[in-house]
Amino acid sequence: MLFVGDDWALDHHDVEVQDQAGRRLGKARLPEGVEGVARLHGLLARFLPEDAEPSQVLIGIETDRGPWVAALVAAGYRVFAVNPRQAARARDRLGVSGAKSDAGDAHVLADLVRTDAHQLPQVAEDSDLADGVQALTRAHQALIWDRARHVLRLRATLRDYFPAALEAFADLAEPEALELLGKAPDPDRAARLSRSQIAAALKRARRRDIEGKTTAIQAALRAPALGRGPVLTAASAAVTRSSISVISALTTEIAQLETEVKAHFGQHPDTGIYLSQPGLGQILGARVLAEFGDDPHRYASAKARKNYAGTSPLTIASGRKRTVRARFVRNDRLVDALTRQAQSALRASPGARACYDALRARGIGHQAALRQLANRLVGILHGCLTTSTHYNEATAWPQATTTSQNRQQPTAA
């Protein structure tokens, strides 16, 4: 067995090779890319017998993605993703002087994977399709977050010089708000907008009650309000036009990426299982698949999947003290998707609704109840994926189904 520590940087990798006794067999600084991987193969070949298997090489590295990691996994090496916090604690275990170097970090990683590989997560071998779905869903969600930030900046700008716009438009990201503010980004021009212009924007946005909304918007834009100086108003109007252009561009790209997410997610063999889960549509289902991955050996049990999801409770016990609290070290993208699923499942699944109501009846808060419901839904998803079966309400919530059937049965005379 060979144990390798790989301390990576943007353009190079410091590696150290150890044997089972912890003796350093070799070290090197390798360039990023094909040349670096080839040199790593050559370095390892010097210490492995000709009949050795690639799985006899264990590599510790502080990342689980990228072309370099993919190349190591494809070569058959066992690659372990070491959390930077774990590496920092291991560094303190080997020395307390505080000294740090790239070569020293490679030594720490090699020693850690030699002694604690059984407790480290091995890099999952997700399919190329799952990796593609992950790239798309993360980019799609990042653009949504970026748009939300720009909308907040636009709101702050309007509050400073044109507060009537905030009264006229409840959601500044809506198409009619962007169109009308783009035409009239200052109070004077907004007050001169005609009913036909406002109604046309509402029609293009496919709104209902055109007449009523047109009247309300025009009244809000023409209501008396405190103003600012002409120079500041003109400058702020230019900022508003710029923000609207950015928000509009982001909205267009979000829609295009959403189409790509749906197309790639629809090609995955587990799509039907994900879409059968209550509260999961194409976008949320794609996000959950992307963050969980599709390596069938990644989660040994439903509890392991729940722990990774961050929905299971965290117990801290020492002596007579014992506390149970939510996990805060977790995959925030996955938690966001699972929380949204739990919220939607309240309407889609009677069993989920009964579970949530029972938690609330015990005095548990809304967010905590959603988290526990999400934890239950993760366990159900794990069972469906393990057995390759679609969601079934009666199987998932047998007690709730039985209670509902008993309530529907007529009472004997």
Side-chain angles (χ1 to χ4, degrees):
M1 303 290 290
L2 292 182
F3 305 92
V4 182
D6 185 337
D7 184 68
W8 69 279
L10 291 177
D11 58 351
H12 68 271
H13 295 254
D14 283 275
V15 300
E16 177 175 317
V17 183
Q18 294 183 4
D19 63 10
Q20 290 178 291
R23 293 175 297 185
R24 179 192 299 155
L25 301 178
K27 66 177 183 176
R29 170 166 288 191
L30 308 175
E32 175 72 28
V34 176
E35 179 187 353
V37 173
R39 287 175 56 182
L40 176 62
H41 293 333
L43 177 65
L44 296 175
R46 290 167 47 192
F47 308 110
L48 283 173
E50 293 184 0
D51 59 347
E53 295 292 332
S55 59
Q56 293 176 238
V57 178
L58 281 65
I59 301 178
I61 185 170
E62 291 179 295
T63 183
D64 62 351
R65 59 177 55 88
W68 181 276
V69 173
L72 298 181
V73 173
Y77 303 140
R78 296 168 60 191
V79 184
F80 297 86
V82 180
N83 189 287
R85 293 177 63 182
Q86 291 176 300
R89 300 298 185 272
R91 188 187 308 117
D92 293 338
R93 184 185 66 182
L94 298 181
V96 295
S97 66
K100 185 183 183 303
S101 66
D102 293 342
D105 288 346
H107 172 77
V108 170
L109 290 169
D111 197 70
L112 185 61
V113 79
R114 179 180 65 86
T115 58
D116 296 295
H118 62 289
Q119 301 187 82
L120 297 173
Q122 190 167 341
V123 172
E125 298 185 34
D126 294 328
S127 68
D128 187 57
L129 180 56
D131 289 339
V133 172
Q134 183 186 83
L136 286 169
T137 54
R138 289 188 173 185
H140 178 254
Q141 192 170 39
L143 289 184
I144 292 175
W145 288 341
D146 287 342
R147 181 176 62 180
R149 294 188 187 99
H150 282 283
V151 169
L152 290 175
R153 291 169 185 163
L154 174 60
R155 180 174 292 277
T157 301
L158 291 172
R159 184 182 296 112
D160 189 51
Y161 83 104
F162 189 10
L166 303 181
E167 296 293 330
F169 306 108
D171 187 351
L172 296 175
E174 294 295 343
E176 68 271 19
L178 295 174
E179 180 180 342
L180 293 174
L181 287 176
K183 289 180 179 179
D186 60 74
D188 291 339
R189 279 181 283 185
R192 294 196 298 270
L193 285 173
S194 65
R195 289 183 62 87
S196 61
Q197 289 176 308
I198 298 174
L202 290 170
K203 288 179 182 178
R204 281 188 285 271
R206 299 181 179 181
R207 301 302 178 203
R208 297 178 179 178
D209 187 20
I210 301 296
E211 288 299 319
K213 291 180 179 177
T214 298
T215 301
I217 291 174
Q218 189 177 56
L221 295 177
R222 293 184 176 182
L226 297 176
R228 304 298 298 272
V231 176
L232 176 60
T233 298
S236 300
V239 174
T240 295
R241 281 194 300 266
S242 177
S243 297
I244 289 173
S245 297
V246 173
I247 295 169
S248 299
L250 286 172
T251 300
T252 301
E253 295 304 320
I254 287 170
Q256 293 182 357
L257 272 183
E258 182 174 324
T259 301
E260 292 293 335
V261 168
K262 292 178 179 178
H264 282 71
F265 177 58
Q267 299 174 24
H268 198 278
D270 291 336
T271 298
I273 297 176
Y274 278 92
L275 292 180
S276 71
Q277 306 298 309
L280 284 186
Q282 289 182 296
I283 297 301
L284 278 184
R287 289 181 184 175
V288 174
L289 165 65
E291 300 306 325
F292 272 136
D294 62 356
D295 184 349
H297 308 295
R298 184 172 186 175
Y299 307 103
S301 63
K303 180 176 176 58
R305 189 182 290 269
K306 292 176 181 179
N307 289 345
Y308 177 78
T311 55
S312 60
L314 182 66
T315 301
I316 300 176
S318 178
R320 297 181 180 180
K321 184 178 180 180
R322 183 178 184 272
T323 59
V324 179
R325 65 187 187 190
R327 293 175 184 264
F328 295 102
V329 179
R330 59 195 186 185
N331 183 333
D332 289 337
R333 294 177 183 271
L334 180 56
V335 169
D336 177 75
L338 293 173
T339 303
R340 291 175 183 273
Q341 179 200 1
Q343 183 73 58
S344 299
L346 296 179
R347 299 185 298 272
S349 166
R353 182 77 225 190
C355 177
Y356 172 84
D357 290 342
L359 292 169
R360 294 286 283 152
R362 289 162 46 192
I364 297 176
H366 171 67
Q367 289 298 330
L370 279 184
R371 183 170 58 250
Q372 293 191 37
L373 175 58
N375 192 52
R376 179 69 181 272
L377 292 172
V378 170
I380 294 171
L381 173 63
H382 180 81
C384 291
L385 291 172
T386 303
T387 58
S388 298
T389 56
H390 286 201
Y391 173 85
N392 181 277
E393 182 77 13
T395 304
W397 312 94
Q399 184 175 359
T401 304
T402 303
T403 303
S404 176
Q405 290 175 349
N406 290 338
R407 288 175 179 173
Q408 294 175 4
Q409 289 178 357
T411 304

